[in-house]
Amino acid sequence: MILDWNDIDRWLMGEAWVGSRILSHLQELCDRIGPRWASTPEEREAAEYIRGQFEADGLADARLEEFELQTWSYDRATARVQEEDGPSIPILPYLWCPPTTVSGPLVDIGFGTAREIAEAGARLRAGIAVVDPGLEPFTTPVPFPIRLQAIAKAGARAVVGIDRKTGGRLEFQPAIDWRRHRIDPHPAPTVNVSRETGLYLRRLSGAGKNLAIEVESRFYTAPAANVLAELTGARWPDRHIVLGGHHDTVWHSPGGNDNASGTAVVLEAARVLSRLAREKGIRPGCTIRFATWTAEEQMLQGSTAYVRRHYGTEKLPLLMVNLDELSTGNMKGVILQFPHLREFVQQQLDSMQGGLVCHVMSQMDAWSDHFSFSLRGIPSAILWRWRFFGRYPEADYHHEHGDTLDKVRVRDLKEYAGLLSRLLLRLSQVPPGDWPPSAVEPRTVEEQIAREIGTIHRTFH
Ligand SMILES: [Zn+2]
């Protein structure tokens, strides 16, 4: 069958625009269900909703795939300046903060550079360090998890990180470098305070005040589930491409940008392509597998479980495209983790005539689900995110309760859904034997990570 791409493209963009269900998905996920920490009833409700949508849209084999999640929750986190009558100080535990009851003198150590830690000297022993997790501009940048280890080694009982955002905003932060891909204990219990509270604590540090911190938290295992569905390929059904995005959020966040935006586009691309198959008889050549992952916010455990379960025996996917934080800018192209598909993907993008560009990251990017695939040597890609060139200046909402539905640009997401449908359909029509072969071995990836682990990811700052 000769494909009339002009006709197909018009149909796909038209359906993605006029038939769009993006807004109702966003309302369901962000407003009706709300925060979706993996393993909570709300997160399961979201997963069931997504499965139901896949099924209603006529996709094959819509299902939940369950696994045992290593999870964490906290009930209470408070701080109080000792010998002061003031109100308790708002804090947020860093993710996986252990249960903690500590007090000690506040010690301001700036950015926590080696020099600043050395200068604090004995004062840091049994103290509560107040530190800016950002980067001191005049010295070699060191990732915060490494600075945390040094602060703990110097004897700090706990660490108070100062959020870079202003106006009382507080984000959940990890104390661990995700490139290590395991949940190590905090070097010292670490909590977050707002920028304004941070300045207040710094003043108190100069006055020799003590801070008492209490965190009630617990670690446990609980079932969680990824959601999967397929559009079976008409010509090479045993080969596949994956389009995925995570549906979970951090605690308290309705997850509009992060990541109802990506989830809604996964659903829309699935719906639009499925409808094309039904109404026009045009099916993808290879299979397209659609997925929403759970527990991305918990060290990518959902996508990790999926890769473990499927890619011991199954043929590896030709490509995995990860959608995360799509409200930070409009669609500009694709960023590959490994270089070998660059020209190949660029050719497909060129045929779409939208000025879309294919880039390749020179560093391993561990901060979303494509990393689980990269670790297995699977060609993976993300789209532009908040950390990349061309983002909307106000689009910096993700791990906080302000990441609400109003942060999401529905029109952009419609365009993403249409453009991704066109790209995936094109890629699926290329015979698997004509794809440039991948030469990436998991060992090579491990070696690259080992080389980069002490460095800052360049696109982060
Ligand atoms: Zn995300």
Side-chain angles (χ1 to χ4, degrees):
M1 182 160 105
I2 306 280
L3 295 175
D4 177 351
W5 283 108
N6 193 37
D7 188 47
I8 292 169
D9 287 343
R10 281 167 43 181
W11 195 95
L12 289 174
M13 290 309 281
E15 182 58 35
W17 197 265
V18 181
S20 176
R21 303 210 56 231
I22 295 268
L23 184 59
S24 68
H25 295 324
L26 296 174
Q27 285 167 337
E28 178 72 17
L29 293 167
C30 304
D31 282 352
R32 211 191 61 71
I33 297 176
R36 308 178 289 284
W37 178 257
S39 77
T40 59
E42 291 76 18
E43 186 261 341
R44 180 55 64 107
E45 200 183 339
E48 291 288 2
Y49 168 77
I50 294 159
R51 194 197 59 78
Q53 295 296 309
F54 280 144
E55 201 165 70
D57 289 333
L59 282 108
D61 208 11
R63 65 196 188 277
L64 300 192
E65 275 190 3
E66 221 172 75
F67 65 97
E68 199 75 346
L69 178 75
Q70 310 290 320
T71 187
W72 166 92
S73 72
Y74 80 99
D75 299 318
R76 215 165 63 89
T78 55
R80 196 172 285 279
V81 180
Q82 292 180 320
E83 308 127 27
E84 292 256 322
D85 277 347
S88 76
I89 289 170
I91 61 170
L92 195 63
Y94 269 44
L95 291 171
W96 303 297
C97 182
T100 301
T101 306
V102 289
S103 60
L106 284 160
V107 186
D108 178 3
I109 53 166
F111 289 91
T113 60
R115 181 189 60 79
E116 287 165 318
I117 292 171
E119 267 180 21
R123 287 189 298 127
L124 211 46
R125 227 164 287 144
I128 309 281
V130 182
V131 62
D132 185 338
L135 298 176
E136 198 275 330
F138 306 110
T139 50
T140 307
V142 177
F144 189 53
I146 294 178
R147 281 180 277 158
L148 273 179
Q149 284 167 14
I151 296 165
K153 212 171 155 199
R157 278 196 174 138
V159 179
V160 179
I162 302 174
D163 207 290
R164 74 181 166 85
K165 293 177 174 173
T166 59
R169 285 170 66 184
L170 273 178
E171 258 193 71
F172 277 100
Q173 307 278 3
I176 303 161
D177 192 325
W178 288 36
R179 289 173 288 194
R180 295 197 183 280
H181 205 230
R182 50 164 207 262
I183 302 171
D184 289 327
H186 280 202
T190 305
V191 300
N192 196 14
V193 296
S194 72
R195 185 129 147 201
E196 293 76 12
T197 303
L199 288 177
Y200 171 59
L201 294 182
R202 289 195 145 157
R203 279 202 305 278
L204 294 180
S205 148
K209 300 282 187 185
N210 279 19
L211 188 74
I213 297 175
E214 216 174 312
V215 177
E216 282 175 25
S217 62
R218 63 199 177 94
F219 295 81
Y220 54 101
T221 57
N226 297 314
V227 191
L228 288 149
E230 291 189 358
L231 198 54
T232 312
R235 300 171 71 188
W236 310 283
D238 64 328
R239 298 308 307 271
H240 69 284
I241 297 168
V242 179
L243 180 71
H246 71 92
H247 64 248
D248 68 308
T249 68
V250 295
W251 289 105
H252 317 315
S253 170
N257 174 41
D258 189 12
N259 185 34
S261 65
T263 302
V265 173
V266 171
L267 281 171
E268 265 302 271
R271 182 188 70 79
V272 166
L273 286 169
S274 170
R275 191 157 180 192
L276 179 78
R278 263 198 325 279
E279 291 195 4
K280 310 269 284 183
I282 298 166
R283 302 190 65 84
C286 71
T287 294
I288 302 178
R289 193 174 285 177
F290 299 93
T292 69
W293 320 113
T294 185
E296 188 271 350
E297 304 291 2
Q298 302 185 46
M299 191 71 79
L300 321 176
Q301 287 186 69
S303 51
T304 302
Y306 166 83
V307 168
R308 282 212 187 109
R309 180 171 180 149
H310 287 271
Y311 301 130
T313 49
E314 276 177 50
K315 283 198 179 112
L316 300 185
L318 295 156
L319 176 67
M320 182 271 185
V321 179
N322 181 30
L323 306 182
D324 200 356
E325 303 198 17
L326 295 187
S327 283
T328 46
N330 59 349
M331 173 107 177
K332 299 180 187 67
V334 172
I335 315 179
L336 297 169
Q337 179 66 83
F338 306 125
H340 67 286
L341 293 179
R342 180 184 220 147
E343 251 174 78
F344 173 75
V345 170
Q346 186 63 58
Q347 277 166 12
Q348 304 301 328
L349 292 174
D350 286 347
S351 79
M352 291 163 59
Q353 299 184 344
L356 300 172
V357 186
C358 183
H359 283 284
V360 177
M361 286 182 281
S362 62
Q363 292 163 291
M364 291 302 303
D365 178 7
W367 286 272
S368 189
D369 291 304
H370 49 281
F371 188 60
S372 308
F373 290 76
S374 307
L375 283 174
R376 182 71 183 78
I378 296 165
S380 64
I382 50 171
L383 307 187
W384 265 252
R385 288 201 295 175
W386 55 272
R387 69 178 79 133
F388 297 108
F389 167 78
R391 72 180 172 91
Y392 299 131
E394 78 279 23
D396 66 345
Y397 284 87
H398 42 146
H399 303 142
E400 59 184 303
H401 62 76
D403 185 15
T404 42
L405 178 51
D406 57 303
K407 308 301 187 304
V408 184
R409 299 181 188 223
V410 175
R411 289 165 60 114
D412 277 0
L413 298 188
K414 290 182 181 184
E415 191 185 53
Y416 272 108
L419 293 172
L420 282 163
S421 300
R422 292 167 64 193
L423 176 63
L424 291 177
L425 192 66
R426 278 169 165 77
L427 290 167
S428 81
Q429 298 295 339
V430 180
D434 290 355
W435 285 60
S438 170
V440 183
E441 289 295 326
R443 240 190 76 187
T444 326
V445 178
E446 293 291 344
E447 284 164 8
Q448 187 177 348
I449 292 168
R451 280 197 305 277
E452 291 173 358
I453 203 88
T455 65
I456 291 284
H457 195 287
R458 212 177 57 231
T459 48
F460 244 139
H461 296 273

